[in-house]
């Protein structure tokens, strides 16, 4: 492999930055590109939601279904988890012992799971009102957009467990570090998407 | 009561019935149409059995496994091209069948049922785009681009293998649809609500959805991989403006893939939600809106056109410059034109549905944007012409394809301008005029380009030149066949003949349909000539070896290695100080510098997990098509497990020892020393052993 001469500004591979940066540079860069194409998917689902939000076909409407209080709690859970995942990465950079990394990542995982439970609760409340995705185009587009974000969070939680197992197996070798960095990027990305969901779906639904 | 139409064992086999086998259908209803279906299914089965037998007899399973688990960008590239050529053969035969049907069906039902005819145009389009064009160009980029930028592999060799197996899985699904069940009748664009549950409850659209989805996920991965490789793995001194033009077009194509494949994934996923879970995105009732599908699909579909065409533009740039022995004219303008096309390609998707109810002003904006793309494309044509001007043009097969392209593509461009004018599009849309137009763009703009690239780089990949005579015959047939098959369609389209017509009631159309049918046969002959060329070339390989690696007096770094290149490509990563580093370098003394000893090199080890993921995803898709939920569930778990297991693998690289590298390099240098340099006049003779003579 050629050794790229630049160091990636965002890579906290080690306190002194003397670890092999070559793999990290392309590895992280490639992950950014993946996030970009994932962002396109979400952007399109937002667009579809925008065209379908009025197509309630006489069924449940945004105003009747969306609860701002649970959306607020979910937002706080996710934003806090973004802070803790960031702290976990900093702990990996400056400490590189297992305990603080596990502690921060454990908190992140717990917040992620709590978010998923809250979201599931929201969905089952909607189902109990007869707000199924099969009811109207509005609900179809809602249930394509928001649960897809939820599935991403679930994938992030599974990924976190896998990374925990890898830390136990290999310690903090370069691949583990790169993958934890990617995981944290992924997690922040989900935060960004959630902010858009909060704005476009929940807040807009409430004021409309 | 059990009939051929009732599910056999719903818990296990889902909705499969005996009637889903084309043999049973042909037995019950022995019409020509059903017999052709059964024969096609038999061909798939026979092909499979013959392949398995040959592999067993030659004890080649180990070598096959060695290939499919390889992470070497060169092997992956070759496998992509093999998929493309196999799928090309099938889709071309389907095209011939359609032409024969239309020629036979003037005032007559013809020999194909309308349902069968619809399946044929759906598979023909889907295969040609997703499983011929996409794997072909991805394969060529995979093979050539890392060599051109002086890299040893792609940025993500393992993701490369996953992308290949996903694409291969989609192709397998297309082949399976010939044997079990039937394919969609909704065309390659699969417009709902027709492809929704209400109008197409059968398995056809599901085959289309999952095959295309596998292909599009594979292409997204490839796009990320290609772009990252070009951004991060260029050899020292290979600045952006020194990259060969093929790398520029690969970069633009890969960026288009990253942004344009997700809309397709969204379109097929939402259509799947409609069909499987009763959502209402594109249905006629409860607020569904099929215009969302049209927008999503063409938001992918138009950039896709440039995903297909840009790599061919890159190949023409390489070929024209090499075979004119001249520096590429207007390099900077070609780069800018490529980037301009890539950006503009996202601004024109609406011209695919001018007639679907937008206001005239919106149509005007998109019509003008469409015509704007003609400007950078025109710049490119002039640049290639100026490259040839006062050059020493050698009319080799790749050069012939380039010349045929320039003339034919310009004609296609003119008809594109006609279609870009909304009022005219109202007249021509949905007629054979459109069919003629896009074949007029894609056959010269994609197929000729990739065939030129195939002929041009084949000696690099396999170490011997392709037979020139059969290459010229194939070229002649591809060009004559194209004009015969598609020029009549312009006339027919302008006379009002609708596309996808199963039966024709206008006797005046008959002569044109005969000519087009004859043209299709000539195209089939072109494919046959291509196969003969390959067989003849393999037989005569020892007389045409070019181990020294530079049969065409090439310009880029890819020619500076042996043919075929060693696994590690470059024993020493080259330093680049200009636009044609190898062409200029070998004109200075001591370019082929032999080192006394070389260092050890790390290369990725083979991995089975990519194949497991690809085949798992294919099995899951098959399960979803047939509602075999257990199969879908188990296969998805397999995919997930393979993904997680791979992330635990350490030591995924093996070291090629310094001694081995030194021995390989010294063997090559010994050949270089022994070779007699070939003057350009003899480059098509057996004297060409791959060492170019440098004229004084």
């Amino acid at each position: 492999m050629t050794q790229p001469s630049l160091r990636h500004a965002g890579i906290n591979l080690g306190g002194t930055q003397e670890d092999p940066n070559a793999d990290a540079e392309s590895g992280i860069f490639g992950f950014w590109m993946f996030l970009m194409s994932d962002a396109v998917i979400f952007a399109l689902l937002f667009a579809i939601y925008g065209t379908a939000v009025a197509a309630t076909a006489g069924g449940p409407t945004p105003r009747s279904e969306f609860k701002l209080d649970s959306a607020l709690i979910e937002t706080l859970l996710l934003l806090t988890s973004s802070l803790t995942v960031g702290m976990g990465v900093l702990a990996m950079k400056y400490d590189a012992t297992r305990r603080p990394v596990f502690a921060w990542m454990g908190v992140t995982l717990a917040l992620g799971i709590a978010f998923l439970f809250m979201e599931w609760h929201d969905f089952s409340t909607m189902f109990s009102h007869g707000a199924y995705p099969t009811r109207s185009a509005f609900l179809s587009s809602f249930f394509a957009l928001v649960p897809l974000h939820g599935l991403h969070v679930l994938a992030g939680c599974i990924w976190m467990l896998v990374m925990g197992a890898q830390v136990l197996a290999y310690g903090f070798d370069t691949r583990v570090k790169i993958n934890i960095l990617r995981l944290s990027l992924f997690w922040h990305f989900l935060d960004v998407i959630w902010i858009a969901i909060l704005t476009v779906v929940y807040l807009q639904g409430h004021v409309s | 009561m059990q009939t051929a139409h009732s599910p056999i064992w719903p818990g296990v086999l889902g909705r499969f019935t005996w009637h889903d086998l084309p043999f049973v259908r042909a037995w019950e209803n022995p019409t020509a149409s059903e017999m052709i279906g059964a024969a096609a299914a038999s061909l798939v089965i026979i092909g499979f059995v013959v392949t398995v037998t040959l592999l067993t007899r030659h004890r080649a399973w180990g070598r096959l496994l060695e290939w499919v688990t390889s992470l070497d960008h060169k092997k992956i590239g070759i496998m992509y091209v093999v998929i493309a050529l196999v799928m090309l053969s099938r889709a071309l035969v389907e095209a011939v069948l359609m032409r024969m049907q239309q020629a036979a069906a003037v005032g007559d039902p013809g020999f194909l049922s309308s349902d069968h005819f619809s399946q044929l145009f759906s598979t023909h389009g889907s295969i040609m785009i997703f499983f011929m064009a996409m794997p072909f160009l991805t394969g060529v980029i995979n093979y050539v681009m890392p060599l051109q930028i002086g890299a040893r592999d792609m940025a993500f060799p393992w993701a490369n293998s996953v992308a290949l197996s996903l694409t291969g899985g989609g192709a397998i699904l297309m082949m399976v649809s010939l044997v079990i069940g039937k394919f969609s009748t909704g065309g390659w664009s699969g417009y709902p609500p027709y492809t929704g549950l209400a109008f197409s409850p059968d398995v056809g659209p599901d085959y289309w959805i999952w095959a295309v989805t596998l292909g599009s996920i594979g292409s997204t991965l490839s796009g990320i991989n290609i772009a990252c490789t070009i951004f991060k793995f260029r050899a020292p001194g290979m600045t952006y403006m020194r990259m060969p033009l093929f790398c520029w077009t690969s970069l633009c194509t890969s960026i288009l893939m990253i942004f344009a494949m997700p809309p397709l994934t969204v379109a097929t996923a939402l259509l799947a939600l409609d069909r499987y879970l009763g959502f209402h995105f594109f249905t006629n009732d409860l607020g569904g809106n099929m215009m969302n599908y049209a927008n999503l699909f063409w938001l992918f579909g138009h950039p896709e056109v440039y995903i297909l065409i840009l790599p061919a533009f890159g190949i023409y740039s390489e070929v024209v410059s090499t075979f004119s022995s001249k520096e590429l004219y207007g390099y900077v303008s070609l780069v800018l034109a490529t980037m301009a096309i890539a950006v503009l390609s996202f601004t024109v998707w609406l011209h695919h549905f001018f007639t679907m109810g937008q206001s005239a002003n919106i149509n005007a904006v998109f019509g003008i944007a469409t015509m704007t793309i003609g400007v950078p494309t025109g710049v490119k044509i002039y640049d290639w012409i100026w490259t040839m001007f006062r050059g020493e043009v050698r009319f080799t097969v790749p050069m012939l394809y380039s010349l045929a392209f320039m003339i034919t593509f310009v004609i296609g461009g003119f008809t594109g301008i006609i279609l870009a004018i909304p009022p005219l599009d109202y007249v021509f849309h949905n007629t054979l005029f459109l069919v003629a137009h896009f074949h007029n763009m894609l056959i010269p703009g994609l197929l000729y380009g990739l065939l030129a690239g195939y002929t041009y780089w084949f000696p690099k990949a396999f170490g011997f030149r392709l037979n020139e005579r059969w290459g010229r015959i194939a070229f002649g047939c591809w060009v004559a066949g194209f004009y015969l098959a598609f020029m009549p369609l312009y006339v027919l389209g302008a006379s009002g003949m609708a596309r996808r017509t199963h039966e024709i009631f206008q006797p005046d159309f008959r002569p044109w349909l005969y000519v087009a049918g004859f043209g299709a046969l000539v195209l089939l002959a072109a494919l046959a000539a291509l196969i003969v060329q390959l067989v003849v070339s393999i037989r005569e390989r020892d007389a045409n070896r070019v181990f020294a690696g530079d049969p065409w007096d090439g310009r880029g770094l890819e020619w500076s290695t042996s043919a075929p290149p060693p696994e590690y490509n470059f024993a020493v990563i080259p330093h680049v100080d200009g636009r044609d580093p190898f062409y200029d370098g070998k004109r200075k003394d001591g370019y082929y510098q032999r080192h006394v000893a070389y260092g050890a090199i790390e290369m990725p080890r083979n991995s089975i997990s990519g194949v497991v993921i690809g085949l798992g995803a294919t099995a899951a898709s098959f399960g979803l098509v047939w509602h075999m939920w257990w199969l879908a569930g188990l296969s998805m778990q397999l995919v997930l497990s393979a993904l997680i297991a791979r992330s635990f693998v350490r030591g995924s690289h093996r070291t090629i020892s310094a001694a081995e590298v030194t021995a390989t390099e010294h063997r090559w240098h010994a050949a270089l020393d022994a070779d007699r340099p070939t003057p350009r006049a003899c480059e098509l003779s057996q004297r060409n052993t791959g060492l170019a003579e440098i004229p004084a």
Side-chain angles (χ1 to χ4, degrees):
Chain A
M1 300 285 143
T2 49
Q3 301 281 321
S5 53
L6 290 168
R7 281 177 181 163
H8 194 282
I11 296 176
N12 301 313
L13 268 187
T16 57
Q17 292 264 319
E18 278 171 2
D19 294 40
N21 275 271
D23 284 353
E25 192 193 329
S26 61
I28 300 291
F29 184 75
F31 196 74
W32 272 107
M33 286 199 277
F34 160 73
L35 290 181
M36 210 146 66
S37 74
D38 210 15
V40 174
I41 289 186
F42 276 108
L44 293 167
L45 288 175
F46 276 114
I48 297 281
Y49 180 81
T51 65
V53 69
T56 52
T61 62
R63 207 177 172 80
S64 73
E65 293 311 311
F66 298 153
K67 303 279 172 291
L68 271 192
D69 45 357
S70 75
L72 175 70
I73 297 171
E74 283 158 5
T75 309
L76 290 177
L77 286 173
L78 265 194
L79 287 185
T80 316
S81 77
S82 236
L83 174 70
T84 56
V85 82
M87 295 304 286
V89 170
L90 286 178
M92 178 176 80
K93 176 179 177 182
Y94 289 113
D95 199 344
T97 52
R98 282 176 195 166
R99 190 175 293 181
V101 178
F102 271 124
W104 286 118
M105 292 296 175
V107 175
T108 312
L109 182 61
L111 290 167
I113 292 171
F115 170 85
L116 287 174
F117 269 104
M118 285 290 297
E119 192 160 61
W120 180 249
H121 177 75
D122 285 357
F123 294 158
S124 49
T125 314
M126 287 177 73
F127 290 154
S128 69
H129 302 168
Y132 289 102
T134 48
R135 179 61 190 81
S136 67
F138 154 62
L139 287 163
S140 292
S141 60
F142 172 84
F143 278 104
L145 171 62
V146 181
L148 183 70
H149 173 268
L151 275 178
H152 275 70
V153 175
L154 179 65
C157 291
I158 295 172
W159 191 358
M160 217 166 271
L161 290 171
V162 170
M163 289 322 297
Q166 290 191 11
V167 172
L168 288 177
Y170 304 113
F172 291 102
D173 68 0
T174 309
R175 274 196 69 187
V176 166
K177 283 182 171 179
I178 292 177
N179 278 331
I180 287 181
L181 272 163
R182 285 176 174 156
L183 171 58
S184 75
L185 277 179
F186 185 69
W187 203 266
H188 294 312
F189 168 75
L190 295 184
D191 236 24
V192 175
I193 300 291
W194 178 260
I195 295 300
I197 288 179
L198 177 75
T199 317
V200 174
V201 177
Y202 288 101
L203 288 180
Q204 184 186 233
H206 223 72
V207 295
S208 60
Chain B
M1 196 193 83
Q2 276 285 334
T3 69
H5 291 272
S6 51
I8 300 163
W9 194 0
V12 178
L13 296 180
R15 49 175 165 165
F16 174 77
T17 68
W18 289 122
H19 195 71
D20 289 316
L21 294 177
F23 310 107
V24 175
R25 288 201 297 269
W27 180 265
E28 284 179 345
N29 181 22
T31 59
S33 190
E34 293 293 357
M35 294 308 247
I36 289 171
S42 319
L43 272 179
V44 175
I45 293 171
I46 292 169
F48 182 73
V49 170
V50 167
T51 313
V52 169
T53 317
L54 285 177
L55 283 171
T56 311
R57 180 181 292 175
H58 294 283
R59 300 208 172 81
W61 286 100
R63 277 178 65 197
L64 180 73
L65 197 68
E66 172 76 26
W67 269 77
V68 296
T69 61
S70 173
L71 305 192
D72 181 349
H73 74 95
K74 299 184 286 299
K75 286 186 174 164
I76 289 178
I78 290 169
M79 285 186 281
Y80 267 119
V81 175
V82 169
I83 293 176
L85 292 176
V86 170
M87 298 311 277
L88 169 68
S89 312
R90 172 178 163 190
L92 187 56
V93 170
E94 289 174 337
V96 172
L97 273 175
M98 285 188 283
R99 284 275 130 259
M100 294 301 116
Q101 160 71 18
Q102 286 198 331
V106 184
D108 186 273
F111 58 93
L112 291 176
S113 71
S114 73
D115 191 63
H116 195 170
F117 184 78
S118 308
Q119 287 183 55
L120 284 175
F121 66 66
S122 305
T123 46
H124 170 80
S126 306
I127 288 177
M128 283 297 195
I129 299 291
F130 296 111
F131 301 109
M132 191 288 281
M134 292 298 273
F136 209 155
L137 70 93
T138 313
V140 174
I141 293 175
N142 241 298
Y143 195 96
V144 175
M145 181 273 290
L147 284 164
Q148 283 194 329
I149 61 171
R152 289 199 172 129
D153 208 325
M154 299 283 274
F156 305 106
W158 181 74
N160 209 8
S161 155
V162 173
L164 169 73
S165 358
L166 287 174
T167 310
I172 290 175
L173 215 54
M174 295 298 296
M175 296 314 267
V176 168
S177 77
L178 266 184
V179 184
I180 309 172
K182 51 191 208 170
F183 199 73
S184 171
T185 51
W188 85 280
S189 49
Y191 271 11
Y194 176 71
T195 50
L197 214 48
F199 302 100
S200 302
D202 56 311
V203 294
D206 296 324
Y207 266 124
W208 180 82
I209 286 173
W210 298 116
V212 167
T213 306
L214 291 179
S216 80
I217 295 173
S219 295
T220 312
L221 281 177
S222 297
I224 294 172
N225 210 343
I226 295 166
C228 193
T229 309
I230 296 178
F231 281 131
K232 295 293 178 188
F233 284 77
R234 281 166 291 120
M238 176 70 82
T239 58
Y240 287 112
M241 292 313 272
R242 285 179 187 165
M243 289 200 302
L245 209 85
F246 181 67
C247 293
W248 267 108
T249 57
S250 304
L251 178 62
C252 290
T253 283
S254 63
I255 293 172
L256 292 183
M257 283 177 178
I258 296 169
F259 284 99
M261 299 317 287
L264 176 65
T265 311
V266 171
T268 54
L270 298 188
L271 185 59
L273 284 175
D274 271 8
R275 287 180 62 84
Y276 283 83
L277 297 174
F279 281 43
H280 289 284
F281 288 107
F282 314 125
T283 56
N284 281 341
D285 55 342
L286 296 178
N289 182 357
M290 84 73 67
M291 282 316 296
N292 278 339
Y293 183 91
N295 278 292
L296 282 175
F297 187 84
W298 292 113
L299 214 46
F300 144 78
H302 203 86
E304 168 73 7
V305 171
Y306 296 96
I307 292 175
L308 300 178
I309 280 178
L310 287 178
F313 285 178
I315 293 171
Y316 292 130
S317 305
E318 305 287 317
V319 164
V320 170
S321 165
T322 301
F323 291 110
S324 304
S325 298
K326 258 185 76 188
E327 192 183 339
L328 193 60
Y329 180 89
Y331 175 92
V332 177
S333 64
L334 277 166
V335 170
L336 290 176
T338 307
M339 292 302 274
I341 290 173
V343 172
L344 285 174
S345 73
F346 281 101
T347 65
V348 300
W349 81 91
L350 196 132
H351 71 213
H352 292 273
F353 44 91
F354 275 146
T355 58
M356 284 164 84
Q358 305 74 230
S359 73
N361 287 343
I362 291 180
N363 278 354
V365 168
F366 279 88
I368 291 165
T370 304
M371 287 182 242
T372 314
I373 293 197
V375 177
T377 315
V379 168
K380 286 179 167 237
I381 299 274
Y382 283 116
D383 279 334
W384 291 316
I385 294 174
W386 281 106
T387 304
M388 290 187 289
F389 182 64
R390 289 189 179 158
E392 291 168 27
V393 179
R394 285 118 63 199
F395 293 97
T396 56
V397 171
M399 194 64 191
L400 292 175
Y401 278 119
S402 308
L403 291 169
F405 152 77
M406 283 179 226
I407 297 160
T408 316
F409 195 78
V410 168
I411 298 173
F414 285 146
T415 62
I417 297 290
I418 294 174
L419 286 168
I421 301 168
L424 285 178
D425 186 72
Y426 266 82
V427 180
F428 288 124
H429 87 103
N430 214 32
T431 67
L432 284 179
F433 193 88
L434 171 76
V435 175
H437 163 70
F438 68 70
H439 284 89
N440 197 343
M441 301 316 269
L442 286 177
I443 292 179
L446 173 107
L447 189 67
Y448 290 0
L450 290 171
L451 289 175
Y454 162 82
T455 320
Y456 180 58
W457 282 304
F458 187 94
K460 175 51 60 181
F462 295 97
F464 55 94
R465 284 181 299 110
L466 282 170
N467 184 287
E468 190 71 13
R469 190 161 150 262
W470 280 104
R472 280 166 195 267
I473 294 172
F475 160 78
C477 292
W478 282 120
V479 174
F482 165 76
Y483 278 94
L484 287 168
F486 292 101
M487 289 301 141
L489 300 199
Y490 278 124
V491 181
L492 288 168
S495 317
M497 180 170 162
R499 68 192 292 206
R500 296 173 176 174
T501 304
H502 167 251
E503 205 179 327
I504 296 109
F505 300 99
Q506 174 62 267
D508 296 342
F509 291 167
R510 196 193 306 265
W512 298 105
L513 287 168
Y514 282 168
V515 176
F518 176 68
L521 291 175
V522 177
L523 288 173
L524 196 62
L527 178 70
L530 213 56
I531 295 169
V532 173
Q533 182 199 32
L534 189 61
V535 172
V536 170
S537 308
I538 291 174
R539 282 212 185 129
E540 297 170 349
R541 62 188 177 278
D542 286 325
N544 294 311
R545 295 240 183 241
V546 287
F547 178 59
D550 180 25
W552 315 125
D553 194 11
R555 310 181 77 85
L557 289 177
E558 79 268 34
W559 303 107
S560 71
T561 67
S562 63
E567 189 190 345
Y568 48 80
N569 292 355
F570 301 96
V572 179
I573 297 296
H575 281 255
V576 178
D577 50 12
R579 230 167 243 167
D580 291 316
F582 178 59
Y583 190 80
D584 297 337
K586 67 191 166 186
R587 278 158 175 72
K588 296 174 197 141
D589 282 338
Y591 184 79
Y592 288 112
Q593 200 183 358
R594 185 203 294 245
H595 295 247
V596 179
Y598 294 85
I601 295 170
E602 273 204 341
M603 294 304 294
R605 255 184 230 286
N606 283 19
S607 163
I608 188 85
S609 46
V611 186
V612 171
I613 289 174
L615 291 182
T618 312
S621 304
F622 186 76
L624 286 169
V625 169
W626 288 99
H627 296 183
M628 301 176 190
W629 308 122
W630 62 272
L631 179 64
L634 281 180
S635 310
M636 282 180 198
Q637 273 178 20
L638 178 71
V639 170
L640 192 62
S641 313
L643 196 63
I644 293 175
R646 170 69 190 182
S647 75
F648 277 89
V649 171
R650 291 299 183 274
S652 55
H653 286 69
R654 71 185 186 91
T655 306
I656 303 174
S657 70
E660 198 185 327
V661 175
T662 308
T664 310
E665 291 300 307
H666 283 188
R667 198 177 323 124
W668 179 50
H669 277 283
L672 282 175
D673 294 342
D675 271 341
R676 204 155 48 117
T678 317
R680 286 308 94 202
C682 306
E683 80 181 336
L684 300 178
S685 74
Q686 295 186 353
R687 212 190 125 180
N688 187 352
T689 51
L691 183 66
E693 185 186 81
I694 311 297

